Amino acid sequence: MQLGMIGLGRMGGNIARRLMQHGHDVSVFDVNPASVDALAKEDATPTHSLEELVKSLAKPRAVWVMLPAGEITEKAIETLTGILEPGDIIIDGGNTFYKEDIRRAKALVAKDLHYVDVGTSGGVWGVERGYCMMIGGEKAIVDHLDPIFKTLAPGLGTIDRTPNFQGDSRSEEGYIHAGPAGSGHFVKMVHNGIEYGLMQAYAEGFDIMRGKSSEKLPEDERYTLNLTDISEVWRRGSVVSSWLLDLTAMALNESPNLEEFTGKVDDSGEGRWTINAAIEEAVSAEVLTAALFARFRSRIDNSFGEKLLSAMRNKFGGHVEGKSHAPSIQG
Amino acid sequence: MQLGMIGLGRMGGNIARRLMQHGHDVSVFDVNPASVDALAKEDATPTHSLEELVKSLAKPRAVWVMLPAGEITEKAIETLTGILEPGDIIIDGGNTFYKEDIRRAKALVAKDLHYVDVGTSGGVWGVERGYCMMIGGEKAIVDHLDPIFKTLAPGLGTIDRTPNFQGDSRSEEGYIHAGPAGSGHFVKMVHNGIEYGLMQAYAEGFDIMRGKSSEKLPEDERYTLNLTDISEVWRRGSVVSSWLLDLTAMALNESPNLEEFTGKVDDSGEGRWTINAAIEEAVSAEVLTAALFARFRSRIDNSFGEKLLSAMRNKFGGHVEGKSHAPSIQG
Amino acid sequence: MQLGMIGLGRMGGNIARRLMQHGHDVSVFDVNPASVDALAKEDATPTHSLEELVKSLAKPRAVWVMLPAGEITEKAIETLTGILEPGDIIIDGGNTFYKEDIRRAKALVAKDLHYVDVGTSGGVWGVERGYCMMIGGEKAIVDHLDPIFKTLAPGLGTIDRTPNFQGDSRSEEGYIHAGPAGSGHFVKMVHNGIEYGLMQAYAEGFDIMRGKSSEKLPEDERYTLNLTDISEVWRRGSVVSSWLLDLTAMALNESPNLEEFTGKVDDSGEGRWTINAAIEEAVSAEVLTAALFARFRSRIDNSFGEKLLSAMRNKFGGHVEGKSHAPSIQG
Amino acid sequence: MQLGMIGLGRMGGNIARRLMQHGHDVSVFDVNPASVDALAKEDATPTHSLEELVKSLAKPRAVWVMLPAGEITEKAIETLTGILEPGDIIIDGGNTFYKEDIRRAKALVAKDLHYVDVGTSGGVWGVERGYCMMIGGEKAIVDHLDPIFKTLAPGLGTIDRTPNFQGDSRSEEGYIHAGPAGSGHFVKMVHNGIEYGLMQAYAEGFDIMRGKSSEKLPEDERYTLNLTDISEVWRRGSVVSSWLLDLTAMALNESPNLEEFTGKVDDSGEGRWTINAAIEEAVSAEVLTAALFARFRSRIDNSFGEKLLSAMRNKFGGHVEGKSHAPSIQG
């Protein structure tokens, strides 16, 4: 099948590669000509503008936009909207906020264009493992693009099948049609919200194990635990085995004390939007929120609010910071 | 190798079975004679009292206690202490609080007995998958028991090896010697704390996806998502794939609405002790705590504290319960 | 000073009353004629439409809108915008989202109208205690309205003055000009966010004290505490004394077990928007969020997520709901 | 009435003073002779050992121990136990863990000694405001000591009485007999747990208001709020007025940016024990726990867990710390 790919970064480039390796025909464009040239050497059709990209495709065209979410993606889609012709399809494979998808899809309908949003998980491993995709849009259009998605998805692989699986067989191959416009990005958004929660659960557990060697604990209740071995042992047979644990084991094997990291942890829109969605629905989401807030907190030294706590303690009890009789282990 | 097994429930019985299937020689005892008889048919040596069990073993004896943590285990170990002879070994494979292990190990040293604590993960799947074991105790004793642990552990299996793994090779087979007495149960305790956090992260994410169909949301922002398909699709290629997700996919495949569950969720000691440990170490463990509290909250209708909130609102604002203009989706 | 008041509910009616009691001249309108008649008997100028209300006032007019936030307020302001004349002032005293204020103020500038947002705290007690007001808008306009705000505010009263107070003297009287349009409602929004947190802190503390009588605790560690007396004793000399505690003491004095409440606690927009603001600013706000989520959770029986937890426990451990050996006190 | 006071620090010295100012007869002891001398000048009977202190009192003696909780208090009480005679009373006015009280009271009964635990709130302000006291112990003994408690308590003062108050009149004066041994400290412990929650609620709210001036927010949605004025304005007529807010207003009036504080906030045993109690009772206490964890987190730079989050992000997405496209306001 033929596809245009806009944005040849880590994700877009690899997606194009995986498609070509499986016989699809891909036209590529990126603002960086070197990225275009690199893909051209791997048999992609190089183009040097959106117009040229569009012209290189047969109707009905399918153009996959793989750019950073926000203004850059928005602008590319606006330009495409002016160039494409009735029946053509725009696919947004980035991390766009689902309400933007809903708005865009409505606007495009007026021009007889189709919009498909694809939440794509798998990160840098996707080119090898395949990409897990959550897709939103019109059924007929998603069905039309099926050869693309089928190729990009991991497939059944070596993972045990769910016994007597009753659902959509595509989900067993690693992609789903989640629903109308925006639903693909919505499911991907929640996926990332969950991801934050899972990561924070491991982080706290390893913190507690590491803290168990503190000299502030009674001597016979201290353990100096080998976290590399623990992350490895849990990979087999335990309840907490997961892909994130596999990565944790790799990281701790390479660097048991993780000195090369500051611990200032970024977050992206999805984690935040997940909490906003929970609030809109009046769903309690303590764990996902705590995971997000832990990242916020990791990036500052001390907050004004914390200074205020010290100021209050000083006012009511004459407490001076750092002069407490309190037991304090960590820090 | 020879082992005595006390307690032939789901865990103890299966552990005995797995050992015998691999050529070990197991004497068994349970207060329920039917359980003893069943194992005897599978070639175990049946015994009908702790004394008889001990006598059936050659010195130095190794006796594995697989009973509910707390009084029952405590009593069995007290009795054994009176029967065993210098050099013999007691293994506690249950979910004992690690400070109890420390206390016990000290007491047993005085009698020249050895104590080994084994945190065992794997649940009902262990007989098939193997048991992930975290072991505390004296190095020489743990080494002596290695044939037992090696048999029970899952082994390398089909799971990808961590590249250039530098750690203890036992951890790659699914068991570790964590450190002195209590450390095995301590690591298992944190494992369960993490387990709660992981489970709650998924639970909240699926709640948010389910809530997205609410009629209280704007009509064009609603999605009716197929949670069975979503749990399945994430199993391959996504960042949140895990064994708990595999189980989630199984559960949702069998029962998409989970009507057979009340949602009143039990907790066991480990989740609580993990938080206590975090507090002792002054480690922030928001996610693990929120996961525990969510279970507490799930088991009641409404708390007195919630009534107090309503009472305060009534006092300051004349608010009557259920008469708010506020947007309320869930509930 | 002359003021038009639209909306004569609990808040609007009492504000009009307090103004008239202090010599201001108030024209009133409400869709319910009975409310208009009632105020007319207390010397207000009755009007029966927005047009009539506007005509009853001298230029530059000041019209206070005291209606439920959202569509109703929006519509009233739209209508007023068409009737008022250059130089006139619209005051929104409700709980409008501050971003709406920003939008409105911009739109009104084009018509040479002025917009003032007033966050008003004090609830049903305001008519007696005075209203604490947080005001956003142009400085000249807020200064012009000062006689109104000064009358509505509590004044210095009997509360001890902050020693050597350096700030704006209006804040000592119970009102402030917070900044440009929307800032009044923004500060009021955060006020309500804090309010949720304070309430939840008391609620949890009283829950823990009440739970201390549980028969599941060891007999010699149980206390049956008199919560009415405790709420009263903390009112004098303790660190936790507050107006919310005064109300708590009243409520527990009238009804020690609060049987007349279900504990299903409503929330309004401010608590939600406060969390959204925290997320936009990347500020960790665990306590305010937990307080909001506790209200969400109070309104449902059990969540789908909780059922999912039970389903996972059943899958990995064969656990059956309610059959745990775990210690469980509450519930 | 006659009382012996052991420990003449900020709390003990002031308690002795307040008692003497109201005509009570106080013998004093402290390891620091200068403290003894200072009180002697204010008419206290100076003593230079526990033995001398005991001898200076008539039977049945009442000795108030006002020392740091833990070993120091424990040792003083052990010594006293050996010196006192049947019928004498030991009062522990410190912040002892209530389970210690239960243990001690049982041990003292065997020697016909009485034990009273007094949780004392009021901090450095107590000498002026009076002390709010929560008292545990035998009814007859607490009644016997009533003149002491009545003097130390704030009394009705100028605070509005709860209408038609039905409870124990002592609670209106600022002290209560909470129940048997340990209950006084238990109630005080929960008081402090609530205190943490209240403080954190204000801290987060002020953080959100301060963060609203960030240049990372859209320009027309920024406000530069005067936090001194806001803390002052809420003191009168708002729902969030409290003594802690009074102190906040004082602190912000003296130092609007609180530069003299690091924001590394200590905690003491009570906050931790409150969470342990909640866990024992299976009561969800999210807000009180989050407040405690915020203090833990404030005292460290970055946790190992946070480094682990960065390591995982690097592994799955190739993310480099600090290179995110994510919106980040604070930090």
Side-chain angles (χ1 to χ4, degrees):
Chain A
M1 191 170 174
Q2 198 186 41
L3 184 83
M5 175 63 67
I6 299 170
L8 304 174
R10 206 156 41 194
M11 292 293 285
N14 282 340
I15 288 173
R17 260 176 211 104
R18 191 168 166 107
L19 287 172
M20 292 188 294
Q21 285 159 10
H22 291 77
H24 296 283
D25 180 12
V26 185
S27 292
V28 298
F29 172 69
D30 192 287
V31 289
N32 177 3
S35 302
V36 174
D37 292 350
L39 266 292
K41 283 181 194 146
E42 300 177 48
D43 265 348
T45 304
T47 75
H48 301 88
S49 68
L50 293 181
E51 287 78 3
E52 196 185 334
L53 181 90
V54 168
K55 276 186 199 152
S56 75
L57 301 168
K59 295 197 231 175
R61 303 173 182 94
V63 182
W64 183 303
V65 181
M66 201 71 202
L67 296 169
E71 278 181 50
I72 295 172
T73 292
E74 182 68 17
K75 204 168 166 186
I77 290 179
E78 272 175 27
T79 305
L80 279 175
T81 305
I83 306 172
L84 291 171
E85 294 174 282
D88 288 349
I89 305 163
I90 297 174
I91 303 161
D92 180 359
N95 281 324
T96 294
F97 182 45
Y98 74 97
K99 294 190 183 181
E100 295 296 304
D101 294 317
I102 294 172
R103 180 184 54 73
R104 275 183 201 156
K106 275 185 196 160
L108 293 178
V109 158
K111 312 202 172 208
D112 208 10
L113 294 173
H114 303 286
Y115 183 79
V116 173
D117 54 286
V118 182
T120 315
S121 183
V124 294
W125 299 71
V127 67
E128 181 187 316
R129 279 174 108 208
Y131 298 93
C132 176
M133 285 167 295
M134 297 137 264
I135 306 161
E138 300 156 74
K139 183 178 184 310
I141 304 300
V142 174
D143 286 349
H144 168 72
L145 296 169
D146 192 72
I148 297 291
F149 299 131
K150 195 176 179 68
T151 295
L152 291 177
L156 282 169
T158 59
I159 290 169
D160 286 343
R161 296 181 71 169
T162 297
N164 305 312
F165 183 65
Q166 310 287 322
D168 184 335
S169 66
R170 289 175 293 186
S171 65
E172 285 193 292
E173 305 205 22
Y175 66 110
I176 51 165
H177 178 209
S183 63
H185 281 147
F186 183 83
V187 175
K188 174 57 164 47
M189 174 195 85
V190 176
H191 165 281
N192 284 29
I194 293 172
E195 172 191 307
Y196 284 29
L198 301 178
M199 288 171 73
Q200 184 66 20
Y202 289 114
E204 291 178 6
F206 279 90
D207 243 2
I208 294 169
M209 291 192 292
R210 187 177 169 91
K212 194 61 182 167
S213 63
S214 169
E215 294 190 1
K216 297 190 186 174
L217 291 171
E219 196 168 349
D220 62 352
E221 293 186 4
R222 283 179 222 154
Y223 302 120
T224 301
L225 300 167
N226 185 318
L227 303 186
T228 304
D229 286 348
I230 291 172
S231 62
E232 184 65 32
V233 80
W234 287 346
R235 296 183 64 221
R236 291 180 182 82
S238 95
V239 174
V240 303
S241 61
S242 70
W243 191 58
L244 283 164
L245 182 67
D246 294 346
L247 301 180
T248 297
M250 283 183 208
L252 290 173
N253 184 49
E254 291 169 13
S255 172
N257 296 309
L258 303 176
E259 301 95 345
E260 69 272 38
F261 296 98
T262 62
K264 299 192 183 303
V265 191
D266 291 316
D267 74 287
S268 59
E270 290 88 353
R272 301 179 179 205
W273 302 329
T274 300
I275 310 311
N276 292 337
I279 291 175
E280 279 185 8
E281 297 176 17
V283 165
S284 175
E286 281 289 354
V287 157
L288 305 192
T289 309
L292 178 66
F293 285 168
R295 294 188 177 196
F296 290 170
R297 181 62 189 78
S298 79
R299 298 200 298 263
I300 60 167
D301 290 334
N302 277 100
S303 70
F304 181 74
E306 288 162 2
K307 294 181 183 204
L308 189 58
L309 295 177
S310 285
M312 284 191 235
R313 295 184 83 239
N314 179 257
K315 279 288 170 211
F316 71 70
H319 299 293
V320 177
E321 284 183 325
K323 291 279 176 62
S324 170
H325 291 290
S328 171
I329 302 300
Q330 181 167 352
Chain B
M1 192 169 173
Q2 198 185 43
L3 184 83
M5 175 63 66
I6 298 170
L8 304 175
R10 204 156 43 194
M11 292 292 285
N14 282 340
I15 287 173
R17 259 175 213 106
R18 191 168 166 106
L19 287 172
M20 293 188 294
Q21 285 159 9
H22 291 77
H24 296 282
D25 180 13
V26 186
S27 293
V28 299
F29 171 68
D30 193 287
V31 290
N32 177 4
S35 303
V36 174
D37 292 349
L39 267 292
K41 283 181 192 144
E42 302 177 46
D43 266 347
T45 304
T47 75
H48 300 90
S49 68
L50 292 181
E51 287 78 3
E52 195 185 333
L53 180 89
V54 167
K55 276 187 200 152
S56 76
L57 300 169
K59 293 198 233 175
R61 303 173 183 94
V63 182
W64 184 302
V65 181
M66 201 70 203
L67 296 168
E71 278 180 51
I72 296 173
T73 291
E74 182 69 17
K75 205 168 165 187
I77 290 178
E78 272 176 26
T79 306
L80 278 175
T81 305
I83 307 172
L84 291 171
E85 294 174 283
D88 287 350
I89 305 163
I90 297 174
I91 303 161
D92 179 357
N95 281 324
T96 294
F97 183 45
Y98 74 95
K99 293 189 185 183
E100 294 296 303
D101 295 316
I102 294 172
R103 180 184 54 72
R104 276 183 200 155
K106 274 185 197 160
L108 292 178
V109 158
K111 312 202 172 210
D112 209 9
L113 293 174
H114 303 286
Y115 183 79
V116 173
D117 54 287
V118 183
T120 314
S121 183
V124 294
W125 298 73
V127 68
E128 180 188 316
R129 278 173 108 208
Y131 298 93
C132 176
M133 286 167 295
M134 296 137 264
I135 306 161
E138 300 157 74
K139 182 180 184 311
I141 303 301
V142 175
D143 286 349
H144 168 73
L145 296 169
D146 193 73
I148 297 290
F149 298 132
K150 196 176 178 68
T151 297
L152 292 176
L156 281 170
T158 59
I159 290 169
D160 287 342
R161 297 181 71 169
T162 297
N164 304 311
F165 183 64
Q166 310 287 323
D168 185 335
S169 66
R170 290 175 291 187
S171 64
E172 285 194 292
E173 303 205 22
Y175 66 111
I176 52 165
H177 178 209
S183 63
H185 281 146
F186 183 83
V187 175
K188 174 57 163 49
M189 173 195 87
V190 176
H191 166 280
N192 284 29
I194 292 172
E195 173 191 306
Y196 283 30
L198 302 179
M199 288 170 73
Q200 184 66 20
Y202 288 115
E204 292 177 5
F206 278 90
D207 243 2
I208 294 169
M209 291 191 293
R210 187 176 169 93
K212 193 62 181 166
S213 64
S214 169
E215 294 190 0
K216 297 191 185 173
L217 291 171
E219 196 168 350
D220 61 352
E221 294 186 4
R222 284 179 221 154
Y223 302 120
T224 301
L225 301 167
N226 185 317
L227 303 185
T228 304
D229 285 348
I230 291 172
S231 63
E232 184 66 31
V233 79
W234 288 346
R235 296 183 63 221
R236 290 179 183 83
S238 95
V239 174
V240 303
S241 61
S242 71
W243 191 57
L244 283 165
L245 181 67
D246 294 346
L247 301 180
T248 298
M250 284 183 208
L252 290 173
N253 184 48
E254 291 170 13
S255 172
N257 296 308
L258 302 175
E259 300 95 345
E260 69 272 40
F261 297 98
T262 62
K264 300 191 183 303
V265 191
D266 290 316
D267 74 287
S268 60
E270 291 88 354
R272 300 179 178 205
W273 303 329
T274 300
I275 310 310
N276 292 337
I279 291 175
E280 278 185 9
E281 297 176 17
V283 165
S284 175
E286 282 287 355
V287 157
L288 306 192
T289 309
L292 178 66
F293 285 168
R295 294 188 178 196
F296 290 171
R297 181 61 189 79
S298 80
R299 299 200 299 262
I300 60 167
D301 289 335
N302 277 99
S303 70
F304 182 74
E306 289 162 2
K307 294 182 183 204
L308 189 57
L309 295 177
S310 285
M312 284 191 234
R313 294 185 84 241
N314 179 259
K315 279 288 170 210
F316 71 69
H319 299 293
V320 176
E321 285 183 324
K323 292 279 176 63
S324 169
H325 291 290
S328 172
I329 302 299
Q330 183 166 354
Chain C
M1 192 168 172
Q2 198 186 42
L3 185 82
M5 174 63 68
I6 299 169
L8 304 175
R10 206 154 45 192
M11 292 293 286
N14 282 340
I15 287 173
R17 261 176 210 105
R18 190 167 166 108
L19 287 172
M20 292 188 294
Q21 284 159 7
H22 291 78
H24 295 284
D25 181 13
V26 185
S27 293
V28 298
F29 171 68
D30 194 287
V31 290
N32 177 3
S35 302
V36 174
D37 292 349
L39 266 293
K41 283 183 191 142
E42 302 177 46
D43 266 347
T45 304
T47 74
H48 301 88
S49 69
L50 292 182
E51 288 77 3
E52 196 186 333
L53 181 89
V54 167
K55 277 187 198 151
S56 76
L57 300 169
K59 294 197 231 175
R61 303 174 183 93
V63 182
W64 184 301
V65 180
M66 201 72 203
L67 296 168
E71 278 181 51
I72 296 173
T73 291
E74 183 68 16
K75 204 168 167 186
I77 290 178
E78 271 176 26
T79 306
L80 279 175
T81 304
I83 306 172
L84 291 171
E85 293 174 283
D88 288 350
I89 304 163
I90 296 174
I91 303 162
D92 179 357
N95 282 324
T96 294
F97 183 44
Y98 74 95
K99 293 188 184 181
E100 295 297 302
D101 294 318
I102 294 172
R103 180 184 54 72
R104 275 183 200 156
K106 274 185 197 160
L108 292 178
V109 158
K111 311 202 171 210
D112 208 9
L113 293 174
H114 304 287
Y115 183 78
V116 173
D117 55 286
V118 182
T120 314
S121 183
V124 294
W125 298 72
V127 67
E128 182 188 314
R129 278 174 109 208
Y131 298 94
C132 176
M133 286 167 295
M134 296 137 264
I135 306 160
E138 300 156 74
K139 182 179 184 311
I141 304 300
V142 175
D143 287 349
H144 169 72
L145 296 169
D146 192 72
I148 297 291
F149 298 132
K150 194 177 180 67
T151 295
L152 291 177
L156 282 169
T158 58
I159 290 169
D160 287 342
R161 297 180 70 169
T162 297
N164 304 311
F165 183 65
Q166 311 286 323
D168 185 335
S169 66
R170 289 174 293 186
S171 65
E172 286 193 292
E173 304 204 22
Y175 66 110
I176 52 164
H177 178 209
S183 63
H185 281 146
F186 183 83
V187 174
K188 173 56 163 47
M189 174 195 87
V190 176
H191 165 281
N192 284 30
I194 293 173
E195 173 190 306
Y196 283 30
L198 301 179
M199 289 170 72
Q200 184 67 18
Y202 288 114
E204 291 177 7
F206 279 90
D207 244 2
I208 293 169
M209 291 192 292
R210 187 176 168 94
K212 193 61 182 166
S213 63
S214 168
E215 293 190 1
K216 297 190 185 172
L217 292 171
E219 194 169 351
D220 61 353
E221 294 186 3
R222 283 179 222 155
Y223 303 121
T224 302
L225 300 167
N226 184 317
L227 303 186
T228 304
D229 286 349
I230 291 172
S231 62
E232 183 65 32
V233 79
W234 287 347
R235 296 183 64 220
R236 290 179 183 82
S238 95
V239 174
V240 303
S241 61
S242 71
W243 190 57
L244 283 164
L245 181 67
D246 294 346
L247 301 179
T248 298
M250 284 183 207
L252 290 173
N253 184 48
E254 291 169 14
S255 172
N257 296 310
L258 302 175
E259 301 96 344
E260 70 271 40
F261 296 97
T262 62
K264 300 191 183 302
V265 190
D266 290 316
D267 74 287
S268 59
E270 291 89 352
R272 300 179 178 204
W273 302 329
T274 300
I275 310 312
N276 290 339
I279 292 174
E280 278 185 8
E281 298 176 17
V283 165
S284 175
E286 282 287 356
V287 158
L288 306 191
T289 309
L292 179 66
F293 286 168
R295 294 189 178 195
F296 290 170
R297 181 61 190 78
S298 79
R299 298 201 299 262
I300 60 167
D301 289 335
N302 277 99
S303 69
F304 182 74
E306 288 162 2
K307 293 181 184 204
L308 189 57
L309 295 178
S310 285
M312 284 192 235
R313 294 185 83 239
N314 179 259
K315 278 288 169 211
F316 70 69
H319 300 293
V320 177
E321 285 184 324
K323 292 278 176 63
S324 169
H325 290 290
S328 172
I329 302 298
Q330 182 167 353
Chain D
M1 190 167 174
Q2 197 185 44
L3 185 83
M5 174 63 67
I6 298 170
L8 304 175
R10 207 155 42 192
M11 292 293 285
N14 282 340
I15 288 173
R17 260 175 212 106
R18 190 168 166 108
L19 287 172
M20 293 188 293
Q21 284 160 9
H22 291 78
H24 295 284
D25 180 13
V26 185
S27 292
V28 298
F29 171 68
D30 194 286
V31 290
N32 178 3
S35 301
V36 174
D37 293 349
L39 266 293
K41 282 181 192 145
E42 301 178 45
D43 266 347
T45 303
T47 75
H48 301 89
S49 69
L50 292 181
E51 288 77 3
E52 196 185 332
L53 181 89
V54 167
K55 277 186 198 151
S56 76
L57 301 169
K59 294 198 232 173
R61 302 173 184 95
V63 182
W64 184 301
V65 180
M66 201 71 203
L67 296 169
E71 278 180 50
I72 296 173
T73 291
E74 182 69 17
K75 204 168 166 187
I77 290 177
E78 273 175 25
T79 306
L80 279 175
T81 305
I83 306 171
L84 291 171
E85 294 174 283
D88 289 349
I89 305 162
I90 296 174
I91 302 161
D92 179 359
N95 281 323
T96 294
F97 183 45
Y98 75 95
K99 293 189 184 181
E100 294 297 303
D101 294 316
I102 294 171
R103 180 184 54 73
R104 276 183 200 157
K106 275 185 195 159
L108 292 178
V109 158
K111 311 201 172 210
D112 208 9
L113 294 174
H114 303 287
Y115 183 79
V116 172
D117 54 287
V118 183
T120 314
S121 182
V124 294
W125 298 73
V127 67
E128 181 189 316
R129 277 174 110 206
Y131 297 94
C132 176
M133 285 167 296
M134 296 135 265
I135 306 161
E138 301 156 73
K139 184 180 182 313
I141 304 301
V142 174
D143 287 348
H144 169 72
L145 296 169
D146 193 72
I148 297 291
F149 298 132
K150 195 177 179 66
T151 296
L152 291 177
L156 282 169
T158 59
I159 290 170
D160 287 343
R161 297 181 70 170
T162 297
N164 305 312
F165 184 65
Q166 310 286 324
D168 185 334
S169 65
R170 289 175 293 187
S171 66
E172 285 193 293
E173 304 205 22
Y175 66 110
I176 51 164
H177 179 209
S183 64
H185 281 147
F186 182 83
V187 174
K188 173 58 164 46
M189 174 196 86
V190 176
H191 165 281
N192 284 29
I194 293 173
E195 172 190 306
Y196 283 30
L198 301 179
M199 288 171 74
Q200 185 66 20
Y202 288 115
E204 292 177 6
F206 278 90
D207 244 2
I208 294 169
M209 291 192 291
R210 187 177 169 91
K212 194 61 181 167
S213 63
S214 168
E215 293 189 1
K216 296 189 186 172
L217 292 171
E219 195 169 351
D220 61 352
E221 293 186 4
R222 284 178 221 155
Y223 302 121
T224 302
L225 300 168
N226 184 317
L227 303 186
T228 304
D229 285 348
I230 291 171
S231 63
E232 183 65 32
V233 79
W234 286 347
R235 297 183 62 221
R236 292 180 182 82
S238 94
V239 174
V240 303
S241 62
S242 71
W243 190 57
L244 283 164
L245 181 67
D246 294 346
L247 301 179
T248 298
M250 283 183 208
L252 290 174
N253 184 46
E254 291 170 13
S255 172
N257 295 309
L258 302 175
E259 300 95 344
E260 68 272 39
F261 296 98
T262 62
K264 299 191 182 305
V265 190
D266 290 316
D267 75 287
S268 60
E270 290 90 352
R272 301 179 178 205
W273 302 329
T274 300
I275 310 311
N276 291 338
I279 291 174
E280 279 184 8
E281 297 176 19
V283 165
S284 175
E286 281 287 355
V287 157
L288 306 191
T289 309
L292 178 66
F293 285 167
R295 294 187 178 197
F296 291 170
R297 181 62 189 77
S298 79
R299 298 200 299 262
I300 61 167
D301 289 335
N302 277 98
S303 70
F304 182 74
E306 289 162 2
K307 294 181 184 203
L308 189 57
L309 295 177
S310 285
M312 284 191 235
R313 295 185 82 239
N314 179 259
K315 278 288 172 213
F316 70 69
H319 299 293
V320 176
E321 285 183 323
K323 292 278 176 65
S324 169
H325 290 291
S328 171
I329 302 299
Q330 183 167 352

